[in-house]
Amino acid sequence: MIGYGFMGAAHSQAWRTAPRVFDLPRDVEMAVIVGRNQEAVADAAAKWGWQESATDWRDIVTRDDIDIVDIVTPGHSHHEIAIAALKAGKHVLCEKPLANSGEDADAMAEAARESSAKAMLGFTYRRVPALTRARDLIAEGKVGNVQQVRAAYRQDWLVDPEAPLSWRLQKDLAGHGALGDIGAHAIDLVQFLTGLSVTKVSGVIDTIVKERPVETERVGIAGKGGDEKAPVTVDDVAIFTGRLENGALAAFEATRFATGRKNELSVEISGDKGAIAFNLESLNELHVYDLTADELGQGFTRVLVTEPGHPYLEGWWPTGHMLGYEHAFSHQVKDFVDAIANDTIPTPTFDDGVQVQRVLDAVEASSDDDSRWVQI
Amino acid sequence: MIGYGFMGAAHSQAWRTAPRVFDLPRDVEMAVIVGRNQEAVADAAAKWGWQESATDWRDIVTRDDIDIVDIVTPGHSHHEIAIAALKAGKHVLCEKPLANSGEDADAMAEAARESSAKAMLGFTYRRVPALTRARDLIAEGKVGNVQQVRAAYRQDWLVDPEAPLSWRLQKDLAGHGALGDIGAHAIDLVQFLTGLSVTKVSGVIDTIVKERPVETERVGIAGKGGDEKAPVTVDDVAIFTGRLENGALAAFEATRFATGRKNELSVEISGDKGAIAFNLESLNELHVYDLTADELGQGFTRVLVTEPGHPYLEGWWPTGHMLGYEHAFSHQVKDFVDAIANDTIPTPTFDDGVQVQRVLDAVEASSDDDSRWVQI
Amino acid sequence: MIGYGFMGAAHSQAWRTAPRVFDLPRDVEMAVIVGRNQEAVADAAAKWGWQESATDWRDIVTRDDIDIVDIVTPGHSHHEIAIAALKAGKHVLCEKPLANSGEDADAMAEAARESSAKAMLGFTYRRVPALTRARDLIAEGKVGNVQQVRAAYRQDWLVDPEAPLSWRLQKDLAGHGALGDIGAHAIDLVQFLTGLSVTKVSGVIDTIVKERPVETERVGIAGKGGDEKAPVTVDDVAIFTGRLENGALAAFEATRFATGRKNELSVEISGDKGAIAFNLESLNELHVYDLTADELGQGFTRVLVTEPGHPYLEGWWPTGHMLGYEHAFSHQVKDFVDAIANDTIPTPTFDDGVQVQRVLDAVEASSDDDSRWVQI
Amino acid sequence: MIGYGFMGAAHSQAWRTAPRVFDLPRDVEMAVIVGRNQEAVADAAAKWGWQESATDWRDIVTRDDIDIVDIVTPGHSHHEIAIAALKAGKHVLCEKPLANSGEDADAMAEAARESSAKAMLGFTYRRVPALTRARDLIAEGKVGNVQQVRAAYRQDWLVDPEAPLSWRLQKDLAGHGALGDIGAHAIDLVQFLTGLSVTKVSGVIDTIVKERPVETERVGIAGKGGDEKAPVTVDDVAIFTGRLENGALAAFEATRFATGRKNELSVEISGDKGAIAFNLESLNELHVYDLTADELGQGFTRVLVTEPGHPYLEGWWPTGHMLGYEHAFSHQVKDFVDAIANDTIPTPTFDDGVQVQRVLDAVEASSDDDSRWVQI
């Protein structure tokens, strides 16, 4: 695993847990964790259960005893690491966003297509059981023809003007701001759930707090910074509309300024036979509307997606015992290992990531061009 | 009262109820109801408690014994009736939208400014107690500087492709579709709650079902039509972003294709000190977030706006006894009669209606111009 | 109408509204309102739209031009008024509780059975559309065999120890406290919804604040009292379990000390084929669980009971426009007038009231006897 | 660890995770797992990451290299194992219920008091962060004097009459049914949250489905059984009222027949200064009512208990990232290891378990004695 921030913790938990919960076709060993700060990464290794730590990923991704490279670094470094690993024949699990530019993303997708190894992108929310279930229902035709979509990812951790200028707020490191970090999830989810691509977008991005305190030390999560300030070079908020390939409109919002909303990823897919609605703040619930039911009995049905027959639930607890945020990471490990063992193509692919990257870039281009529609 | 559709029923209920619930400074008599179909309007008069019925509004709006003209006809006729009534010195309560075109709206606003009589526009939701309360809280600074807004009005009665082509779906009668009928409420609410005007917009409107069965008879509410079909000439869905005068972005959505959402008018105002959230499907509740509270105790507080000290509640039931849709109409009557008696200017004014009309027209213009921003 | 407190306002609203909303088979005139304080009742008459006021109900209930007597006084006076009115051949609508003692209640029920006139008891919540709908669904077998029930009515207006000693807190006037005032609704609802009688109970009642300030003047709703205090002679809270005639257990709670709960009447009926759940704080919603549906799709469906085909909705607004507390009173008027015109027996009958009264008395008897089960 | 059913999986997950998430003062090794079926327990060891497996707990609890014995077997065996382990000086973590009889429970508590080792009981829900937080708020006086309590634990997995006769439905193995299995959690929570003991109870227990198919093989979770049927010897539902030591009444319900409720543990504590409400189906939320706040702004505040400063959150994800069911087990491991290292007394103690056991026995005694109150 390359990287050891918040995502490193989540991925470590998944590598440790998945083999104990699911019947994986392969044994998993947590071999090496890599980070630039020798002491910090050694601590992370000890804490999270990795056998070794190292400071240069180049030494690791070619090692014979390494089969899988899991990349959880900031987006700007994905490109170099992933391509090197794939060229070395290693299977690659890469955190989103795929890359910080369309060019880098294309190169990564090409490397993935050319490699005999497997490549998978970490749009983890696809594997929240309620969302996997939603995708299945939509694929079965339960909402009918998709006619309208809304998706939003709303947080509020930047409302405080003293929240520091972390790497997530610097364009050269993060690529995009709220748009790329959380808006990307909303875009991927809509495409995943409906099976329809976004073909063009019109939108606007904005930076509400223009400069912030420079961080004095590395922090995984936003903390208070020092006196010195520097410009925020990414967006705080993005509002955009997409046209799906079947003609339906999709309203998107990504923001870190939705006061009081901590981690609200919500999506609603409306069709001519029904609808589904989901909110990450109630992540075990899927709300399903059946327009073909008796008219006097119609309503959103709150399905607790914790039944043994629901996706991924075979590994967990009895009915009604709630799953949390990190469970989807274990599902990701399970599916990735399954794909390696069965020689199938794991999804989301790097091509899926390229598509999302293109949407992100198109939103930014639209915003720069008076919000005119930009083709993807 | 001119008109006798669904809005006629709601306004009649209000004229009948307000004097019995509030202490009005003037006696109210329900004199004449006007409609083109003599028999139907006579039935409406008998049913709703009007003393007389008539078929030509021109005969009525100049009658000496008439003080107030309440206009609840489709939007295209507001212009002529309202101006005639105002010129005759009658106080005018006019249902929204003010008019179907900016030109007509301007003329009406001018007539209102020139008349000694009072003119008031029926953006009734301003008088849902939870929303009146929200406006007060925002005015007191409880959300601080408004940084982001979202507002949506979502219904689903057009998902059925056999829903008939009522007047609401014909551009010459209704002016706009979902945008003007329900989107107008969302726009007015945002401006009312924040005290900030929308200064420019970028957006898109769309018609999902292009033609529908022609209605064979007048119906107040959507029913099934016949075999003949004709084009829908207004929008089914409108998605747009507005820039408020303080620079904040506001995401808007108006749709009649949100499967399963019957009458969901939702609004959320996010500021640097707090937030408020409201949903018409829970119309007695206001959700308030206080960012200045103890960090570990922060959350949205669900306030049941049914306390005796809450707006308009002095007239109703004890704490915790729910109000419904039509109560806001009684509050409208109360405030209108109060303004007449006290010689104050009732709000929303026709100028407020002009402003909303301009936003509607700008959204349509933006949609026609590749969603570029249009100044208001 | 005899009485002019809070219930007087609600009933007046209903008599005024029902003929304007529904097609009643008879014309309704609001003739006389009666109260002991001449000035106050004259004010009430003027405010609420009664043609006359009077101070002695005895003069009224025998008048030839009076057909219906609506009793909204405190419970201790129902007995005398209702029997006199029924003997005079007047139709009687009587607010709950039927009486303050089983003996009085029995006499009233007998008078009702012997009279040619109609008698109806004001358990108004039966006519909240969501609850009428719930009854229909249960009668159709949608929940199957009822296996378990819970019902609670929870308020908090007595948490304040300075809330005054209103008539509702005095045993000679009110009969019971929370048990009779609000617990009675919970009991009636359970019996109404399931069609099953409570056959025995075990329970406890308690008075949390033992004495309160004496009221210095008549107030309809709790206000602050003076310095003098006197004992509270009724219960503040009642917790009891009932056995239904099919053997199922029902857990009941009635309290005025549920801090933060303003008017929460909640009921849940669990059967071997499904369940229904309702909460008066969301009175337009019925939550329905179908145990016979596909296992992976089961959940509570939130039905917005505002469709034209739902009970009583034909008179009101389009789908999704919320009803409030007082609408059920209009439905009560409608059904009462229908029953009179059609010569059918309106429900709830006085016998239903006797049954509820017996349950109340049995709860109190059980509480006095170490909570042993008491047969009804 | 002795036992390897559903609780074995949950405890294994906790032993594996806690050291990776929290900074534990001691290293933890997962040494031996014990079960009677040699093959099955060996599988469990491999799956869950235990170094060894064994079939006789007697061989294990005295081993020198074992410091901690974690007991997750059915209740009837807790007594013998725990006492042997404590006598051997091993620290004991014992799943609830402490024992199947008051006598056994007393003996265990005595062994715990006499041992130099630590003993802790697995009322794990105390360590759901929202509930730990609720306890802290109540201890700080935020709800004031506790005046009323309700707590319910409601499931529906026995509504199906073909659900098999698992050990949980046999009195000799499980002690009590819904009462002991889930009602015990409700009792413990009320005592934990309020800091007040239940001093007497009146209640009723009932068995709705009297006989069920005999299980043909060991299953951890309810599955379908065979043709042969045998009597259910424990309760399906328990409804009881408790008197707390300060005089407040507490309404309890425990049921496996609440159709549609999968795992609903709900608790509400009402005081003279505020209230708290919690529901396990939304386990990251705590609803807090502040009666001392501005009257017009009062309401239940939905606090997402996922802030870094909330209990146990220092080990997990950023704000707004949801925890699930099993996290509380990791918190239990953390606190148990902390107590061992710091030589403090971990809670809940075995004495706490004895107290809950006494309440359970008193409920059963009350039910057997016509629901009369039974002193604890």
Side-chain angles (χ1 to χ4, degrees), chain C residues 83-300:
Chain C
I83 291 177
L86 286 167
K87 287 203 169 145
K90 309 304 183 195
H91 307 297
V92 172
L93 172 58
C94 181
E95 249 311 308
K96 46 68 50 181
L98 186 57
N100 282 4
S101 76
E103 202 177 319
D104 283 1
D106 284 338
M108 291 170 75
E110 195 186 334
R113 283 190 303 267
E114 286 175 0
S115 174
S116 60
K118 304 298 179 188
M120 185 179 179
L121 185 60
F123 282 123
T124 322
Y125 291 129
R126 290 186 176 203
R127 292 180 162 89
V128 171
L131 287 169
T132 313
R133 172 76 182 161
R135 192 267 324 264
D136 293 348
L137 290 175
I138 293 169
E140 288 167 17
K142 288 287 194 281
V143 314
N145 186 31
V146 172
Q147 293 184 314
Q148 196 175 342
V149 171
R150 64 175 356 203
Y153 203 145
R154 306 165 76 228
Q155 302 178 332
D156 76 347
W157 55 281
L158 289 185
V159 173
D160 179 357
E162 297 306 311
L165 192 71
S166 76
W167 68 263
R168 289 178 191 273
L169 306 186
Q170 300 174 42
K171 193 171 182 60
D172 53 337
L173 299 178
H176 298 277
L179 175 63
D181 186 26
I182 55 180
H185 280 298
I187 296 164
D188 181 65
L189 262 188
V190 166
Q191 298 189 143
F192 167 68
L193 290 172
T194 64
L196 300 167
S197 292
V198 175
T199 59
K200 56 179 192 167
V201 292
S202 159
V204 60
I205 62 174
D206 210 353
T207 305
I208 294 174
V209 170
K210 312 290 188 198
E211 57 176 30
R212 292 182 174 277
V214 173
E215 270 190 320
T216 48
E217 48 177 325
R218 185 196 165 283
V219 292
I221 305 162
K224 300 285 176 181
D227 282 345
E228 195 192 341
K229 294 204 172 186
V232 174
T233 48
V234 297
D235 59 281
D236 288 336
V237 55
I239 301 172
F240 54 103
T241 304
R243 183 75 75 174
L244 302 184
E245 54 184 309
N246 76 342
L249 289 173
F252 290 97
E253 184 186 344
T255 176
R256 291 157 169 168
F257 273 82
T259 312
R261 304 301 176 183
K262 299 307 172 189
N263 201 31
E264 187 196 87
L265 170 59
S266 62
V267 61
E268 186 161 334
I269 313 286
S270 311
D272 59 3
K273 289 196 182 152
I276 67 99
F278 171 85
N279 187 325
L280 190 63
E281 292 199 359
S282 300
L283 68 81
N284 296 278
E285 299 178 17
L286 183 67
H287 296 260
V288 181
Y289 193 95
D290 180 1
L291 198 61
T292 68
D294 168 32
E295 196 170 278
L296 298 187
Q298 289 182 18
F300 277 90

Side-chain angles (χ1 to χ4, degrees), chain B residues 133 294-304 307 309-310, chain D residues 133 294-304 307 309-310:
Chain B
R133 172 77 182 159
D294 168 30
E295 197 170 275
L296 298 187
Q298 289 182 17
F300 277 91
T301 298
R302 170 186 176 268
V303 180
L304 223 46
E307 294 296 317
H310 282 142
Chain D
R133 172 78 182 158
D294 168 31
E295 196 170 279
L296 298 186
Q298 288 182 17
F300 277 91
T301 299
R302 170 187 176 267
V303 180
L304 224 46
E307 295 295 318
H310 283 142

Side-chain angles (χ1 to χ4, degrees), chain B residues 90-280:
Chain B
K90 308 306 183 195
H91 306 297
V92 172
L93 172 59
C94 182
E95 249 312 306
K96 44 69 49 184
L98 186 57
N100 283 4
S101 75
E103 203 177 319
D104 283 1
D106 284 338
M108 291 170 76
E110 196 187 332
R113 282 190 303 268
E114 286 175 0
S115 174
S116 60
K118 304 299 178 188
M120 185 179 179
L121 185 60
F123 282 123
T124 322
Y125 291 130
R126 290 186 177 203
R127 293 181 161 89
V128 171
L131 287 169
T132 313
R133 172 77 182 159
R135 193 266 325 262
D136 293 347
L137 289 175
I138 293 169
E140 288 168 18
K142 288 287 194 281
V143 314
N145 186 31
V146 172
Q147 294 184 314
Q148 196 175 341
V149 170
R150 61 174 358 202
Y153 203 146
R154 307 166 75 228
Q155 301 179 332
D156 76 348
W157 55 280
L158 289 185
V159 173
D160 180 358
E162 297 305 312
L165 192 71
S166 77
W167 68 262
R168 290 178 190 272
L169 305 187
Q170 301 173 43
K171 193 171 181 60
D172 53 337
L173 299 177
H176 299 276
L179 175 63
D181 187 24
I182 54 179
H185 280 299
I187 296 164
D188 181 66
L189 262 189
V190 166
Q191 298 189 143
F192 167 68
L193 290 172
T194 64
L196 300 167
S197 292
V198 175
T199 60
K200 56 179 192 167
V201 292
S202 160
V204 59
I205 63 174
D206 210 354
T207 305
I208 294 174
V209 170
K210 311 289 188 198
E211 57 176 30
R212 292 183 175 277
V214 173
E215 269 189 323
T216 48
E217 49 176 325
R218 185 196 165 285
V219 292
I221 304 163
K224 299 284 176 182
D227 282 345
E228 195 193 340
K229 293 205 173 185
V232 174
T233 48
V234 297
D235 60 280
D236 288 337
V237 56
I239 300 172
F240 54 105
T241 304
R243 182 76 72 176
L244 301 184
E245 54 184 308
N246 75 340
L249 289 173
F252 289 98
E253 185 186 344
T255 178
R256 291 156 170 169
F257 274 81
T259 312
R261 304 301 177 184
K262 299 309 172 188
N263 201 31
E264 186 196 270
L265 169 59
S266 61
V267 61
E268 186 162 335
I269 313 287
S270 310
D272 59 3
K273 289 198 182 150
I276 67 99
F278 171 85
N279 187 324
L280 190 62

Side-chain angles (χ1 to χ4, degrees), chain A residues 138-151:
Chain A
I138 293 169
E140 287 168 17
K142 288 287 194 283
V143 314
N145 185 31
V146 172
Q147 294 184 314
Q148 195 175 342
V149 171
R150 64 174 358 204

